[in-house]
Structures are given as C-alpha cells and as structure tokens.
Amino acid sequence: MSQFTNLFLVLSLFAFAPLCCFSSKTHGGYLYPQFYDHSCPKAQQIVKSIVVKAVAKEARMAASLLRLHFHDCFVQGCDASLLLDNSGSIVSEKRSNPNRNSARGFEVLDEIKSALEKECPHTVSCADIVALAARDSTVLSGGPSWEVPLGRRDSRSASLSGSNNNIPAPNNTFQTILTKFKRQGLNVVDLVALSGSHTIGNARCTSFRQRLYNQSGNRQPGSTFDQSYAAQLRTKCPRSGGDQNLFFLDFVSPTKFDNSYFKNLLYSKGLLSSDQVLLTKNEASMELVKTFSENNKLFFEQFAQSMIKMGNISPLTGSRGEIRKNCRKINS
C-alpha cells in the first residue's frame, strides 16, 4: 500500500471520530464540566489531591484507577455499578472474570467519597468520581488532560453477566474486541486510542500465558511474539503457577503515559494478545498504530477525545439513579 493511500486511510478514519462536544447530550439530560461549580466548587480539587497522594504512594495506582473507569463504563454505562459490593439483591461485578483478583483502587475512591461527603453531602456521584480520577491519573502519569463532562448519577444495580460479557478479554480476537467497542458506540479509532492506556500499568501472568506457551493449540508461543521478549517473560511466567506475577504492559516506560506502547507493537513486543492484534489483524487498526507510534501529540489528542466519548456511555442523569452516600452500596 502506498504511503499516500495509508495517509488517506488514517485521515478518513479520523473523520469518523469527531471532536467530542464538552456538553454531551445524554438520554434525559446533559453532562457538562461545570456541573458542580455551584453545588460543590472544590469537588475537582478534592478528587485531584487524593489521587495525587495515592499515585505518589504507588505509581501503579494511576493505571488501576484509569482501568476502573473503563470497566465501569462498558457495563450498564458509566454509573459506578462496578463499585457496588455484594449485598441483598446486588451481585457484585468485582467477582467477574475481568475484575476478580485484578480490579483495584476502590479504597482510593472510598477516601475521595468520604472527603466529598464532608465538603458537600449527597452531591457528587461515585460515577463522576471515577471519571475524574481516571483523568487525573492520566495527567499525573504524563498524559493528556481534558475537561470531564459531569452530572452522572449512580446506579442502584450491578450486572455480573454484563461484566463477564461486555469487557474485552486479553485473548479475544480483534473482531470480538471491535464488536464489544461498537456495542458501546465506540469505533476502531477509539479502540486503538484507548488501548494506548496500556502504556502504563501491569498485567498478570495468567492474562498472557496462553500466548506465551500455546497460542494456537500447537504448544508454541504466538507467531507475532518477539521470541527474545517471550523467552524473557517465560522466566517469571511459567507454564503453571505464578498466575498473579505482574509484568509491565509497556516495558520501555512502564509508569510514563506516552506512545511507546505503539512502538512496542511494531516490534512484536505487545504483552497481551489483545494488544498485538491491533497491528496484525486489521488494516485500519494497523495504520492507526503506526500513526500513533510516530505522533505522540495526535495520540494524546485522540485519547482525550475517546475518553470523553467513553465517559458518555449511557449515563444516568436527571432523576434516574441516585447519589450514593457510600460508593460500595446503594442508599437504603
């Protein structure tokens, strides 16, 4: 494919990813960045101060908080359903395959909620706290900033089956992952840009073991795995045992939010199968990986747009849902 055709393809893809309006129309109301300006003017400042403290204590927490927003929004929309513990009629999403022994950072959100309840009781939703913490975590790691549209309310239900079925898994095919994104109103540009969040954070051995040892059922590593990188990983991720051993998703700059994730993919050094398929299984996706690997500024701009778009998946607004007093349980 000629360079001109490549460029044309990428430009046409971005044409389908319009700049997200900062005042996002939702069913039954608007989300807008100034939502708490009068009711809780210090809200964003309080969220940020606690996220700053948590990330200073443990750099990995930035990726954990960012991931919670993603895992929340892909199930029933961005409604903080993920934060609910088991109780009464609630079967917690925390026990789903994507979240069990993996989703973390809930204590940081508890601390934020507690501080906000003191400052302005029964005002700031847990869903908005998750969205703000994700933005602040990105910025603290060196990534882009964006104005977070606010005004989400909290769900009174959770969906374990939704969590198991809607969140892309490390071993899903490219097509399955894209279908799960499209189900949420997101496209291939959003998929590749948001996958770039794997520039920070860790993955467990269990999430890429199949790729390391038996990708196609032939007891061989995946053919798209750089062999020296695979050999290095096998030293700490054995065929059995060590399930919870942690590995950097981006070994080049594991705590810095940048485009080295995409550069790693070009060298067959994506950790998860779901990372590497962005380069190998779809032409549009491949061109986006190449573009973001060459242009950090463009990646940052698109990541911010796609985060706003993801944060606008089916929020509860107006009189729907509630403002939880405690993010772990519905109001009695």
Side-chain angles (χ1 to χ4, degrees):
M1 208 156 89
S2 75
Q3 202 167 6
F4 175 76
T5 316
N6 289 357
L7 182 64
F8 179 77
L9 175 61
V10 171
L11 290 174
S12 62
L13 282 167
F14 285 119
F16 291 106
L19 278 161
C20 264
C21 33
F22 286 118
S23 174
S24 312
K25 185 77 173 87
T26 66
H27 304 294
Y30 283 96
L31 297 184
Y32 54 99
Q34 301 79 20
F35 190 84
Y36 297 111
D37 280 9
H38 298 294
S39 60
C40 193
K42 290 185 183 169
Q44 298 204 38
Q45 188 184 324
I46 289 169
V47 173
K48 185 180 178 181
S49 66
I50 294 171
V51 173
V52 165
K53 190 175 68 174
V55 173
K57 188 175 164 189
E58 183 196 22
R60 180 187 171 206
M61 188 54 71
S64 300
L65 293 171
L66 179 52
R67 186 166 180 256
L68 288 181
H69 189 33
F70 174 46
H71 282 212
D72 178 35
C73 290
F74 267 57
V75 184
Q76 298 188 168
C78 309
D79 61 357
S81 60
L82 170 57
L83 309 190
L84 291 170
D85 288 337
N86 278 332
S87 68
S89 62
I90 304 290
V91 181
S92 177
E93 293 170 19
K94 294 175 185 178
R95 301 301 299 159
S96 72
N97 292 327
N99 294 327
R100 193 173 56 245
N101 299 323
S102 173
R104 61 196 295 278
F106 300 107
E107 297 77 10
V108 177
L109 301 178
D110 291 339
E111 189 182 341
I112 294 169
K113 181 61 175 169
S114 173
L116 286 168
E117 285 300 308
K118 283 195 188 85
E119 177 70 22
C120 25
H122 206 57
T123 302
V124 182
S125 69
C126 299
D128 279 344
I129 291 171
V130 176
L132 287 167
R135 188 271 314 273
D136 292 343
S137 294
T138 303
V139 174
L140 283 169
S141 307
S145 186
W146 60 93
E147 279 199 289
V148 179
L150 300 164
R152 301 167 190 80
R153 289 166 65 85
D154 301 323
S155 71
R156 292 182 54 82
S157 65
S159 176
L160 180 65
S161 63
S163 187
N164 277 320
N165 297 326
N166 296 352
I167 297 170
N171 248 17
N172 280 162
T173 64
F174 176 84
Q175 200 49 55
T176 298
I177 297 167
L178 183 58
T179 298
K180 288 179 177 181
F181 269 73
K182 284 183 171 174
R183 206 182 283 159
Q184 306 297 341
L186 303 173
N187 60 29
V188 69
V189 181
D190 302 310
L191 163 56
V192 178
L194 293 172
S195 295
S197 63
H198 285 180
T199 175
I200 55 173
N202 301 6
R204 296 171 300 151
C205 167
T206 181
S207 60
F208 61 89
R209 177 182 279 126
Q210 184 179 340
R211 180 162 186 246
L212 204 51
Y213 292 101
N214 195 23
Q215 181 65 18
S216 310
N218 59 359
R219 301 188 71 77
Q220 296 295 318
S223 58
T224 58
F225 223 149
D226 175 83
Q227 292 311 303
S228 64
Y229 181 46
Q232 193 183 330
L233 294 169
R234 277 193 288 268
T235 62
K236 289 185 183 168
C237 183
R239 275 184 192 275
S240 62
D243 285 10
Q244 307 303 319
N245 291 355
L246 292 173
F247 297 79
F248 294 131
L249 284 158
D250 166 8
F251 69 93
V252 174
S253 53
T255 58
K256 186 169 190 291
F257 199 103
D258 57 22
N259 66 342
S260 61
Y261 164 81
F262 296 106
K263 294 175 183 177
N264 294 342
L265 297 185
L266 296 179
Y267 290 101
S268 302
K269 291 181 179 179
L271 184 62
L272 307 178
S273 174
S274 54
D275 293 323
Q276 200 60 49
V277 293
L278 299 181
L279 186 73
T280 58
K281 297 295 181 186
N282 178 275
E283 197 172 357
S285 169
M286 176 181 73
E287 291 307 327
L288 287 160
V289 168
K290 289 178 179 173
T291 300
F292 291 149
S293 74
E294 293 162 3
N295 192 329
N296 194 60
K297 183 171 179 284
L298 189 61
F299 163 49
F300 275 23
E301 287 170 1
Q302 185 57 53
F303 184 80
Q305 285 179 38
S306 294
M307 283 296 287
I308 293 167
K309 194 171 167 186
M310 183 183 81
N312 199 40
I313 298 171
S314 308
L316 298 169
T317 56
S319 59
R320 299 186 312 149
E322 64 181 17
I323 306 296
R324 280 182 220 145
K325 293 186 181 73
N326 175 339
C327 291
R328 292 175 181 265
K329 56 187 186 187
I330 58 174
N331 296 338
S332 49

